[in-house]
Amino acid sequence: MKKIIQVLVYGLWGLIALLFGLSAYNEIYEPGIGFWSGTLTAISATLMILVALLALSWAALSIDKIKNRLLPKPK
C-alpha cells in the first residue's frame, strides 16, 4: 500500500511540475517581459522540468518490476 501511495504522489507531483514548467515558457514571449525577466523565467522553467523528470523517474523506480529491470543487482 505504501508503494502505491508513493507512486501516486511522486507521479502526480511530477506531472504537475512538468505542466507548470512547460507553461512557463509561454510567458517569455508575452509583451512587457524584459531580457532579465525572460532569462530568469527560462532558467526557472528549465529547473522545474528537471525536478519533474526527477520526480517521475523516482516514481517509476519505486515500482519493483521497473527497478529490477533497470538497476543491476548487487552480488
Side-chain angles (χ1 to χ4, degrees), residues 37-49:
S37 300
T39 304
L40 290 176
T41 302
I43 290 171
S44 65
T46 304
L47 290 176
M48 180 88 62
I49 289 174

Side-chain angles (χ1 to χ4, degrees), residues 11-68:
L12 186 63
W13 183 55
L15 287 175
I16 290 171
L18 186 67
L19 288 174
F20 277 120
L22 290 174
S23 68
Y25 283 115
N26 292 334
E27 296 178 8
I28 296 172
Y29 301 108
E30 291 191 11
I33 297 292
F35 175 74
W36 291 112
S37 300
T39 304
L40 290 176
T41 302
I43 290 171
S44 65
T46 304
L47 290 176
M48 180 88 62
I49 289 174
L50 290 176
V51 166
L53 293 176
L54 179 68
L56 289 173
S57 64
W58 195 346
L61 286 178
S62 68
I63 300 172
D64 290 331
K65 285 185 180 180
I66 297 173
K67 185 176 12 178
N68 291 336

